[in-house]
Each structure stands twice: as structure tokens, then as C-alpha cells.
Amino acid sequence: MDVLEISSDQVVANSAEHWKRWFRYGQAMLLRQIASMNQEWSRRSVLAWVALSCNCTQAGAALADALTSYLPRTLEALENGLIDEGMAAKVFEATACASREVAREVDARMKFENKNSASLRRMVNTLLMRVDPEGYEARRRAKAAARMLEIRHGDHGSSTLFAELPSDRAQAIYAACDRDALEKKRKGDKRTMDQLRVDALVERCLGGECGGKSEAQIFVYIDLPTLMGMRNTPGELAGCGEISPEMAREIAFDSNSVWNRIVSEPMTGLPIDIGRKSYRPPAQMRKYIQVLHRTCCMLGCSRPAQYSDLDHIQPWSEGGGTDKINIRPFCRVHHGLRDEPGWEFHTDANGVTTVTTPDGRTYTDDPNGFI
């Protein structure tokens, strides 16, 4: 009889998966208990009770009520170990500003497999836009009107700046600082990328050496009928996710816009106009791949493709071609992961990526699978 051999790494991975699921199931059971307490006791009593026994805040009680009343599939995913309490809170926070009916519809359309916090947030926002486009646009404008900048002073002479602003502006600021950091890194600067980005932000705000340089490359995608106002299909801001058609048109027609406007043919989704607003346009193939894939092809990664490496799916040394079928964007972190022992990546011609981990598990991500 053959003996099944299981490596120590597989044992550790299986054990971690097992305890992760039990931990998440326990979180779900606690939230159910909090919700049941809310039905029998006053809110003040429940909060004091739970705070003493579980170190749970008022937000925990609100989350419990939401999951057991109008977000049942999110609670089911938590019970099944697909998400943790923090990820469930992301769904709750994103839907809290909408009506319970809208939130319930979004919850019914959710798919939780192989999602991290960032991809889950993007999915919720996309579904909110599709289920309730008018409400989403009203909330977007209200958020833009409530933009703010805050400073919080910390310890050891360090402070934190918080800025809440429209996503396109935030993406542009980050991309500009990231570009400045990469430029200095290529010249041999020994600072870390995080240090370089922060220093670039300071230099730009205070009029340092980064002033006067070309604008960073930001990609905004919109189909032609939406651009012309003939229909209202959501656009996409690379690295952030879908944006409302109104916001996409505002960016596309702004005479002062620095964005790369990508206009696509509605039937095939292929680009018919990629604009020429970049100071130094990349090579034709590179831009085509950036337009086609938009973000790093690693599951759950939202780093824009224009800030990622181009990688051969079939290695060039093994006969892989340098063409639009075999080249995919991977950010620097996930590009390096491809060379780690036991990791395998496969991306088909439709952009669907399958990742095999060292313990043999496979994870497949379809970018449009939840729509």
C-alpha cells in the first residue's frame, strides 16, 4: 500500500487554514450573540455588558445588528471562514450610508471566494454603483464636498497627515510621488521606496526639487457611448476601481486634466483611443498591455499596471514570446513572488489568473466574476 507523504509545510498550511476557519466561525457566533442580546436588552445595557466581557465597542454591536438583519450572506461567509470580522466590517461600513433595501441587494450579489480586504471593498463599491446609481452619485458629491485634511501628532517627533478627498485626486498625488521615488531609486538612492514617496510629497508641497516636472501617468477608462452621454456605464480609475459615469466624463472633458483617457469600443472592450497627454509615452506594446489589464495580475492586487513590471507568463528562456498574449503586468512584489519555490502562475488569454501556492492549492480570479 502506498504511503501518502505530506510535507511539514503542507501540515503547517493545513493547520493554519483549519484554525483560521474556526476563529472566523467563532467571530460570527459572537456577533450573533450580540445581535440576540440587542433584541432582549437596551442598547446601553448591551454595550456596557459586551464591553466588559469582550472588549467590543458600539461599532461591534452595530455590525452584529447589520449582519443578522440585512447582510445575511456576509455573515454566512464569515461563518464559513471565507472572510474575517474585519472584512465583514468593510461590507457593513460601505453599505451603511445606503438604505437597508439597497444594502440587502448588494449583499445578495456578493461573492467572497479568494477576496482580500481591498478587493472586497472594490466589489462592494461597484455593486453599490450598479444597484443604486443615483444614490451613489449623490454620496460621491457629498463626499467630495466634505473633503478634509487633518494632522494627528504622535510620539517621538512624528505626526500623521490624513486627507480625505476624491479618489482621482488621491490617486494622482500618490502616482506623482511614486514616480518621483522610482526616478531617484533608479539613480541609486539608498532610501526605501516609502521614505522616497514621503520625501517626494514634502518636496512637492513645499516647493522642493520635484517642482516643474512632468505630470504622472494616470489611466481613466470609459467606453465611447458613455463618453458621449448616450449611456451611463461606470468608468474605471486604474488602481482604485469603478467610478461613476459622471465622474469619468468630468475627468475626460476637463481641459486641465492630466489623465490618460482610455476610450474603449463597447462591444469588445478594446481601446480605440488611448490619448496622448503623457509627457513621455511608453512603447506601443507596453501601453497596450497596461490598457488591457489595468492592474497587476496577482489576485487581490490593485496596483495600477503602469507602475508594474511586464512579465512573461511562459518564460522567455523557455520559448515564451514577447507579445501581447504572453506578457502580463505584475507589481514588483508579486513579480518577485513568481520566482519563489513552489509558486506557479497561469494567466489565460482572457486575463483570468490562476495561482498555485506551495501547498498545491489553486486560486482563480475572474475580474468580472461578481458582476
Coordinates of all heavy atoms in Angstrom, one line a residue, residues 163 165-175 259:
A163 N -5.8 62.9 4.7 CA -6.5 63.6 3.7 C -7.6 62.8 3.2 O -7.4 61.7 2.7 CB -5.6 64.1 2.6
L165 N -10.3 62.9 0.2 CA -10.5 63.7 -1.0 C -11.0 62.7 -2.1 O -10.9 61.5 -1.9 CB -9.2 64.4 -1.4 CG -8.0 63.6 -1.8 CD1 -7.0 64.5 -2.6 CD2 -7.3 63.0 -0.7
P166 N -11.5 63.3 -3.2 CA -11.9 62.4 -4.3 C -10.8 61.4 -4.8 O -9.6 61.8 -4.8 CB -12.3 63.4 -5.4 CG -12.7 64.6 -4.7 CD -11.8 64.7 -3.5
S167 N -11.2 60.2 -5.1 CA -10.3 59.2 -5.4 C -9.3 59.5 -6.6 O -8.2 59.1 -6.6 CB -11.0 57.9 -5.8 OG -11.8 57.4 -4.7
D168 N -9.8 60.3 -7.6 CA -8.9 60.6 -8.7 C -7.8 61.5 -8.3 O -6.7 61.4 -8.7 CB -9.7 61.2 -9.9 CG -10.5 62.4 -9.5 OD1 -10.9 62.5 -8.3 OD2 -10.7 63.3 -10.3
R169 N -8.1 62.5 -7.4 CA -7.1 63.4 -6.9 C -6.1 62.6 -6.0 O -4.8 62.8 -6.1 CB -7.7 64.5 -6.1 CG -8.7 65.4 -6.8 CD -8.1 66.0 -8.1 NE -9.0 67.0 -8.6 CZ -9.8 66.8 -9.6 NH1 -9.9 65.6 -10.1 NH2 -10.5 67.7 -10.1
A170 N -6.6 61.7 -5.1 CA -5.7 60.9 -4.3 C -4.8 60.0 -5.1 O -3.6 59.9 -4.8 CB -6.5 60.1 -3.3
Q171 N -5.3 59.4 -6.1 CA -4.5 58.5 -7.0 C -3.5 59.3 -7.7 O -2.3 58.9 -7.9 CB -5.5 57.8 -8.0 CG -4.8 56.7 -8.8 CD -4.6 55.5 -8.1 OE1 -5.2 55.3 -7.0 NE2 -3.8 54.6 -8.6
A172 N -3.8 60.5 -8.2 CA -2.8 61.4 -8.9 C -1.7 61.8 -8.0 O -0.5 61.8 -8.4 CB -3.5 62.6 -9.4
I173 N -2.0 62.2 -6.7 CA -1.0 62.6 -5.8 C 0.0 61.4 -5.5 O 1.2 61.6 -5.5 CB -1.6 63.1 -4.5 CG1 -2.3 64.4 -4.8 CG2 -0.5 63.3 -3.4 CD1 -3.2 64.9 -3.6
Y174 N -0.6 60.2 -5.2 CA 0.2 59.1 -4.9 C 1.1 58.7 -6.1 O 2.3 58.4 -6.0 CB -0.6 57.9 -4.5 CG 0.2 56.7 -4.2 CD1 0.6 56.5 -2.9 CD2 0.5 55.7 -5.2 CE1 1.4 55.4 -2.6 CE2 1.3 54.6 -4.8 CZ 1.7 54.4 -3.5 OH 2.5 53.3 -3.2
A175 N 0.5 58.7 -7.3 CA 1.2 58.3 -8.5 C 2.4 59.3 -8.8 O 3.5 58.9 -9.2 CB 0.3 58.3 -9.7
W259 N -5.0 63.3 -16.9 CA -5.3 61.9 -17.0 C -5.0 61.3 -18.4 O -5.2 62.0 -19.4 CB -6.7 61.5 -16.6 CG -7.2 62.2 -15.4 CD1 -8.4 62.9 -15.3 CD2 -6.6 62.2 -14.1 NE1 -8.5 63.4 -14.0 CE2 -7.4 63.0 -13.3 CE3 -5.4 61.7 -13.6 CZ2 -7.1 63.2 -12.0 CZ3 -5.1 62.0 -12.3 CH2 -5.9 62.7 -11.5

